[in-house]
Amino acid sequence: MSNPNPTISLNKDYLKSKAGILRIFEAIIGICGIICESVGGYCNYGGMYSFYNFVVVTTLIIAIIILIIYFFSLDQHLRFMCAFVNCPLTVFINDVIFTILYLIAAILMFVTVFGCRYRQVARIFASLFGVCGTIVVGLLAFDGYQLHRSAQSEPKSDPA
């Protein structure tokens, strides 16, 4: 007799893996970037701050969602979704896109640093957290690329 309600198990090994540690760093960097940007004030660069906020908050939310999915092994329980969507490839494409967006946001935040002196140090730190976020999400994208390439190079089993 099979259990119709499978239990959700905790995957502590994911938090110890390279991808899990990088996701945690991504969330921490996002929180620090949001704090620094909000303290930095607005020196007539409203659009740049909005873009930075969009990128950082979006990556923070996605990092938390991915951490929850893999920590609680929900990817194993959501097989119906993974039948339509290639989950590792989707995460890889997301990481590539947000690496580029994080880089643009960090550059735009660096532009605001020299615009005015009002709370300049907070904007410098927000820029540095943007660079750190670019590196972390870029490493996640590279890790996802290697995972995708290794999955593609595995020989397919012949049903015959």
Side-chain angles (χ1 to χ4, degrees), residues 105-135:
I107 291 170
L108 291 176
M109 191 56 69
F110 271 121
V111 168
T112 67
V113 168
F114 303 109
C116 72
R117 294 218 178 267
Y118 180 69
R119 295 186 179 174
Q120 190 176 27
V121 174
R123 289 193 312 279
I124 290 172
F125 275 99
S127 303
L128 293 176
F129 282 119
V131 170
C132 291
T134 303
I135 293 169

Side-chain angles (χ1 to χ4, degrees), residues 26-35 37-38 42 49-65 94 98 101-102 105 129-130 133 137:
E26 179 183 6
I28 292 170
I29 289 169
I31 292 169
C32 293
I34 291 168
I35 292 169
E37 187 277 329
S38 63
Y42 294 94
Y49 294 109
S50 299
F51 182 73
Y52 184 87
N53 274 336
F54 166 75
V55 172
V56 174
V57 170
T58 306
T59 55
L60 175 64
I61 291 169
I62 291 172
I64 290 171
I65 290 171
N94 174 65
F98 277 102
L101 292 177
Y102 236 127
F129 282 119
V137 179

